[in-house]
Amino acid sequence: MATTLIKNARIVNEGKTFEGDVLLSGERIEQIAASISASNHAKIIDIQGSYLIPGMIDDQVHFREPGLTHKGNISSESKAAVAGGVTSFIEQPNTVPNAVTQELLEQKYQIAAQSSYANYSFMMGATNDNLEEVLKTDRHNVAGVKIFMGSSTGNMLVDNLQSLEAIFSSTPLLIAVHCEDEQTIKNNLAHYKEIYGDAVPATAHHLIRSAEACYLSSSKAIELAKKTGARLHVFHLSTAVEMDLFTRQIPLEQKQITAEVCLHHLWFSSDDYARKGNFIKWNPAVKTAADRDALWKALLDDRIDVIATDHAPHTFDEKSQLYLQAPSGGPLVQHVLPALFEKQREGMISVEKIVEKTAHNPAVVFKIRERGFIREGYFADLAVIDPNSPWTVSRENILYHCGWSPFEGQTFGASVSHTFVNGILMYENQKVNALRAGQRLLFNR
């Protein structure tokens, strides 16, 4: 059984940072101590001055396989993920075909078993008429059920109130929701088309997919959850007004309704549309600087529980079209931890809070078995962050299949130097191990 000894780490775990060593044996963490002596056959990695953190669990990604693999695939995007210190991901069902039957869902697991560099789970997709399939979902080896209460690929918009209530009241699984009110968006779009015709600018995106559209939908989802007792997780919040819907008074383990924010809503604002245009076009939209400030406040006071990416690659040519034709979404998994550590350098967030929101809390929210923490006996999913290793994002060091990033030209002061997945060193010295070390995530439910 392979053993690795990580020496002189600044270990960040469960709200504390302390100096120590960590011994990995096979796929697990065997020992954590102030000093561990190496056996003759152990591989020793000295990370003096660097942080050792649990690998990020990204609870919302779109890796585009099957059906959209010209944009990305499970292999390419999980490879970029481990280069960014993301060791586990939960992928969404709006691939082609949509993962709305048990057979189609299982096909994605079979692809990942052969090709994923990182640990994986896939959400079961809900529609207006597939409740019977949703109820077949195994709570022990599937992350949850995804409901699009805003438009998506194929037949995945769930806009029938009776269908929504049936799903909320019937499934014991965690329900994750994309919340935007479709009619409000349609009305706003018609208004801006009257003004601009087919040349609507990207600067109007946050006005079309407005704060009102988000609030109407997220408040409806929360009302349904309270009425039915459903376990609800609200994805990618983007507005100040929605923050009043969530509480910080309850310990995370006791929350029936939890919340997530994505990196782009914490980093960019509507002021950036003039410069970056469609390359920061996401749904929900990046909104105002005041909204961004409110998201940071809610993240730090624990109304928001999780940071994710909503990684959703499109080709450069697709994003270069006119605003109305350009798809929403962008690639982020390789750059999320460096970007968050840049905010730590700026004094916006502590290292301990980054770990809490990217690793501990996703594990708790989804009840992921034996991951998300640096604990003896847990899986050795770890990332090493060198806080004094500046680098600049460029086409030459981007690993996404689409080949571009909204962070191109950005210099980060910290870098991911090593990533371990199930005890295997998957990333070191800017190179990804050729092994596919990812395992299917399991859940304590």
Side-chain angles (χ1 to χ4, degrees), residues 133-175:
E133 284 293 313
V134 167
L135 294 180
K136 294 176 185 176
T137 308
D138 188 333
R139 73 180 75 180
H140 301 296
N141 64 11
V142 176
V145 177
K146 173 68 175 289
I147 300 178
F148 286 90
M149 295 173 68
S151 59
S152 182
T153 307
N155 182 39
M156 295 204 67
L157 173 63
V158 184
D159 55 359
N160 181 294
L161 186 58
Q162 187 175 356
S163 297
L164 281 170
E165 197 158 333
I167 297 166
F168 271 68
S169 60
S170 301
T171 180
L173 287 159
L174 176 147
I175 298 170

Side-chain angles (χ1 to χ4, degrees), residues 40-177:
N40 292 333
H41 57 277
K43 176 182 175 68
I44 300 173
I45 301 176
D46 192 324
I47 63 166
Q48 183 78 49
S50 291
Y51 294 107
L52 182 68
I53 68 172
M56 180 172 175
I57 301 171
D58 193 342
D59 79 353
Q60 188 189 180
V61 303
H62 304 263
F63 281 179
R64 304 306 194 193
E65 189 174 9
L68 299 166
T69 52
H70 67 287
K71 303 172 188 281
N73 56 64
I74 291 169
S75 176
S76 65
E77 306 314 286
S78 66
K79 184 177 184 179
V82 299
V86 177
T87 55
S88 299
F89 63 85
I90 298 174
E91 210 261 358
Q92 304 306 301
N94 56 330
T95 40
V96 179
N98 300 154
V100 294
T101 69
Q102 294 302 315
E103 181 182 6
L104 292 169
L105 178 63
E106 191 57 35
Q107 285 175 11
K108 296 177 74 169
Y109 280 104
Q110 291 170 6
I111 295 168
Q114 300 299 317
S115 63
S116 186
Y117 292 84
N119 304 312
Y120 51 87
S121 190
F122 297 89
M123 299 289 277
M124 175 64 181
T127 71
N128 280 320
D129 51 15
N130 77 332
L131 178 61
E132 186 176 337
E133 284 293 313
V134 167
L135 294 180
K136 294 176 185 176
T137 308
D138 188 333
R139 73 180 75 180
H140 301 296
N141 64 11
V142 176
V145 177
K146 173 68 175 289
I147 300 178
F148 286 90
M149 295 173 68
S151 59
S152 182
T153 307
N155 182 39
M156 295 204 67
L157 173 63
V158 184
D159 55 359
N160 181 294
L161 186 58
Q162 187 175 356
S163 297
L164 281 170
E165 197 158 333
I167 297 166
F168 271 68
S169 60
S170 301
T171 180
L173 287 159
L174 176 147
I175 298 170
V177 286

Side-chain angles (χ1 to χ4, degrees), residues 189 191-193 195-209 273-274 277-278 281 321-326:
L189 179 59
H191 170 73
Y192 283 95
K193 277 188 166 182
I195 298 172
Y196 295 104
D198 291 334
V200 177
T203 52
H205 187 56
H206 71 293
L207 304 172
I208 294 169
R209 304 193 80 97
Y273 285 117
N278 297 330
K281 182 185 179 186
Q321 298 177 95
L322 292 174
Y323 165 75
L324 291 178
Q325 283 74 52

Side-chain angles (χ1 to χ4, degrees), residues 344-402:
Q344 183 264 336
R345 287 166 64 90
E346 295 172 9
M348 290 286 291
I349 187 170
S350 69
V351 177
E352 294 82 5
K353 188 64 78 170
I354 291 172
V355 168
E356 176 189 315
K357 302 295 185 177
T358 61
H360 300 341
N361 286 5
V364 172
V365 165
F366 285 87
K367 299 185 177 180
I368 299 171
R369 188 178 299 173
E370 297 175 334
R371 301 187 191 273
F373 296 84
I374 302 178
R375 291 175 178 168
E376 293 178 358
Y378 269 50
F379 287 98
D381 298 335
L382 303 165
V384 178
I385 309 294
D386 185 341
N388 300 301
S389 179
W391 63 290
T392 301
V393 180
S394 69
R395 293 289 172 99
E396 290 69 35
N397 55 36
I398 290 170
L399 296 186
Y400 310 128
H401 181 72
C402 66

Side-chain angles (χ1 to χ4, degrees), residues 155-318:
N155 182 39
M156 295 204 67
L157 173 63
V158 184
D159 55 359
N160 181 294
L161 186 58
Q162 187 175 356
S163 297
L164 281 170
E165 197 158 333
I167 297 166
F168 271 68
S169 60
S170 301
T171 180
L173 287 159
L174 176 147
I175 298 170
V177 286
H178 173 134
C179 290
E180 291 182 286
D181 183 71
E182 196 69 11
Q183 191 58 53
T184 300
I185 293 167
K186 287 179 179 177
N187 294 343
N188 291 340
L189 179 59
H191 170 73
Y192 283 95
K193 277 188 166 182
E194 283 184 11
I195 298 172
Y196 295 104
D198 291 334
V200 177
T203 52
H205 187 56
H206 71 293
L207 304 172
I208 294 169
R209 304 193 80 97
S210 63
E212 179 191 17
C214 293
Y215 183 83
L216 284 171
S217 185
S218 55
S219 59
K220 180 193 293 184
I222 289 168
E223 182 182 352
L224 270 171
K226 289 179 176 177
K227 177 181 178 181
T228 61
R231 174 67 184 88
L232 179 68
H233 185 57
V234 185
F235 275 160
H236 46 41
L237 290 155
S238 62
T239 75
V241 67
E242 291 171 290
M243 296 305 97
D244 291 336
L245 297 170
F246 300 93
T247 180
R248 60 178 177 270
Q249 306 300 331
I250 306 171
L252 180 59
E253 291 82 357
Q254 297 176 25
K255 286 186 178 183
Q256 277 293 103
I257 299 169
T258 50
E260 175 211 276
V261 67
C262 290
L263 173 65
H264 45 288
H265 294 123
L266 294 172
W267 188 281
F268 299 106
S269 78
S270 55
D271 297 336
D272 296 309
Y273 285 117
R275 181 169 54 95
K276 290 194 172 282
N278 297 330
F279 292 95
I280 60 164
K281 182 185 179 186
W282 278 277
N283 298 341
V286 167
K287 296 189 173 65
T288 68
D291 287 305
R292 181 180 60 192
D293 291 346
L295 293 171
W296 271 108
K297 183 177 179 182
L299 177 72
L300 296 174
D301 70 19
D302 296 334
R303 283 172 289 167
I304 293 178
D305 306 293
V306 171
I307 299 173
T309 65
D310 195 15
H311 174 91
H314 298 284
T315 69
F316 186 84
D317 287 345
E318 287 170 335

